Amino acid sequence: MKDTPGWASPGSAPSDGQEPGASGPADPADRPDPAQQPGQDPQGPKWSKEQPPPAQWSAPTGPPAPGQTPPPPPPGPGWGNRPPSGPNGPGGYGGYGGYGGPGGGWGSGWGGPPPAAKPGVIPLRPLGVGEILDGAVSTMRTYWRTVLGISLTVAVVTQIVVILLEGLVFNDTSTEALDDPSATLDELTRAMGDAMLSSGVVFLISLIGTIAATALLTTVTSRAVLGKSVTTGEAWRDARPQVAKLFGLIFLLVLIAFGVVAGGTLPGILVALAGSGDGGAALAVLGGLAAGVVALWLMVRFSLASPALMLEKQGIVKSLSRSTKLVRGSWWRVFGIQLLATIIANVVASIVVIPFTFLAAALSGDGFTGFLNSGGDLGWTFLVVSGIGSVIGAMITFPITAGVTVLLYIDQRIRREALDLELARAAGVQDYGSGTPGPTAGG
């Protein structure tokens, strides 16, 4: 990028500062003189006395010759973080390390461009995997009141709804037939339907909570990149116009994934209904696996649609198109970072949730063995205690997963669209991109 801070061509001596007798670089012997006419004496004059000599570009090897003006130092002391020390000092010309210094050739001590500005939780340049994960954690640590307040509120509301549904509605359903080898087909079908219904409702409620948390935490993370704090009320006011579209986006993604998987398994189901049970089952399994791969590929391509919708104020279809454009060529990188963030978040959450599950089973009266043999009949004590653990786990997973998604979106836009220049201007970084970066602030 041409406007990278600190990147400028090292100074060549201007020709107007030389004496008329100073010589430039010699022309090759076999190069014809363009000013020479055919038949003219090759030893004749080639330059007019009034013409200035050509500009000189050569590394100085000692003190300047008498009467020759030394080249001025380049602007700024940026490269290598060394102050100017003169043409023959230890730092070379303008701190370029080794350029004219003792024992060093051109660039032998160059320390690279200056560090990128960091007004918030990430530096304004393309990010590495560790920097994205660290940015999500730094957002949660620096703005913990807002982040944990949002996560706690959403987690408590969703968990209360889940506990009430499991205790009042789904507690009467039984899945014992799934473990009974002698169960009839009708009993297995009924038990499987009840299990899928309860799991589907719980998943839907958790999805709604995730959508709400993502909408609010997207605003918080985007402000944290600029080093600006935001309250819960401000985050809600900023996200509220896009929340309905975000719900539509998430449900559309779920519908796409379900449709792809259903389409992959449908041929096997039709073959099984036609009378070939074994062949139909094998075809359904293979079709389901292939459809699952396709669904995963699509979900990763659309994984940046949520921050695009919230931060760019786009519609649903436009957000999907923006995500596809940003992920193109970086599918494996986006998939790997999101998979790593999900694993880390779930492992940390499990460390909290599993002890609460054992504690809930121990306090429920029948012990852990009774919980395993309950067949879906869960008491209120178990639901409440395990719900507390789920709330604490959600407080950890919401900020990490939402933060990583937002920072991935910002990173892809920095790489493809030079978003760092706009972020620097929004953060008030002085002279960013002009060769002299402004002061940085840690996140």
Side-chain angles (χ1 to χ4, degrees):
M1 185 181 297
K2 294 183 179 179
D3 53 3
T4 304
W7 184 265
S9 299
S12 60
S15 59
D16 56 359
Q18 291 178 327
E19 296 295 332
S23 60
D27 291 333
D30 56 350
R31 180 180 298 175
D33 184 9
Q36 182 179 348
Q37 300 297 326
Q40 185 178 355
D41 183 10
Q43 303 299 325
K46 298 183 177 64
W47 295 95
S48 172
K49 295 183 178 180
E50 287 77 14
Q51 289 179 332
Q56 179 181 1
W57 180 287
S58 60
T61 57
Q68 181 179 356
T69 304
W79 293 7
N81 296 324
R82 299 183 183 179
S85 56
N88 293 320
Y93 273 85
Y96 285 170
Y99 182 43
W106 169 256
S108 60
W110 181 53
K118 188 180 180 183
V121 295
I122 60 170
L124 300 184
R125 55 168 171 75
L127 304 175
V129 178
E131 290 172 325
I132 291 176
L133 297 174
D134 179 70
V137 175
S138 296
T139 301
M140 182 170 55
R141 185 179 66 248
T142 305
Y143 307 99
W144 63 271
R145 288 184 178 88
T146 303
V147 172
L148 296 184
I150 292 172
S151 301
L152 177 62
T153 302
V154 174
V156 167
V157 172
T158 56
Q159 199 60 40
I160 287 176
V161 176
V162 169
I163 290 174
L164 292 177
L165 286 175
E166 289 182 340
L168 298 177
V169 179
F170 300 126
N171 210 15
D172 295 333
T173 61
S174 177
T175 58
E176 293 180 354
L178 297 176
D179 300 326
D180 187 3
S182 61
T184 64
L185 180 61
D186 291 339
E187 292 175 341
L188 289 174
T189 303
R190 188 180 306 109
M192 185 174 296
D194 292 341
M196 293 180 63
L197 177 62
S198 60
S199 300
V201 172
V202 171
F203 171 77
L204 181 61
I205 296 172
S206 302
L207 179 62
I208 293 174
T210 303
I211 293 171
T214 300
L216 298 175
L217 293 174
T218 296
T219 301
V220 176
T221 305
S222 64
R223 298 284 186 87
V225 170
L226 304 177
K228 299 178 181 180
S229 60
V230 58
T231 63
T232 304
E234 291 173 342
W236 170 246
R237 285 193 297 271
D238 187 66
R240 182 173 56 188
Q242 297 294 107
V243 169
K245 294 180 181 179
L246 184 62
F247 273 93
L249 173 65
I250 300 299
F251 285 121
L252 178 60
L253 292 177
V254 173
L255 184 62
I256 291 174
F258 178 78
V260 170
V261 174
T265 56
L266 182 60
I269 296 176
L270 294 178
V271 171
L273 293 176
S276 178
D278 295 338
L283 183 60
V285 170
L286 292 177
L289 291 176
V293 173
V294 175
L296 175 63
W297 179 77
L298 288 174
M299 291 304 102
V300 174
R301 283 181 67 87
F302 296 148
S303 61
L304 303 183
S306 173
L309 183 142
M310 296 302 300
L311 298 179
E312 299 181 20
K313 310 301 182 184
Q314 302 281 3
I316 295 176
V317 177
K318 182 64 175 178
S319 299
L320 294 174
S321 175
R322 286 285 292 148
S323 178
T324 301
K325 177 181 177 181
L326 293 174
V327 176
R328 184 181 296 119
S330 304
W331 190 94
W332 283 107
R333 181 175 183 272
V334 174
F335 168 71
I337 293 176
Q338 290 190 330
L339 177 63
L340 178 61
T342 302
I343 292 174
I344 293 175
N346 287 328
V347 167
V348 174
S350 299
I351 295 175
V352 177
V353 172
I354 291 177
F356 274 91
T357 303
F358 281 95
L359 180 62
L363 296 176
S364 61
D366 296 332
F368 191 73
T369 304
F371 161 69
L372 294 177
N373 298 326
S374 61
D377 187 11
L378 304 176
W380 286 102
T381 302
F382 177 86
L383 292 175
V384 171
V385 176
S386 61
I388 294 174
S390 299
V391 167
I392 298 175
M395 289 175 59
I396 300 173
T397 57
F398 282 162
I400 293 179
T401 54
V404 167
T405 301
V406 175
L407 294 179
L408 257 177
Y409 161 81
I410 293 175
D411 174 60
Q412 290 299 110
R413 287 200 61 188
I414 288 176
R415 293 172 182 269
R416 295 177 180 270
E417 303 171 0
L419 182 65
D420 53 324
L421 300 178
E422 297 181 20
L423 293 175
R425 285 192 292 267
V429 178
Q430 299 296 325
D431 300 324
Y432 183 84
S434 61
T436 308
T440 61

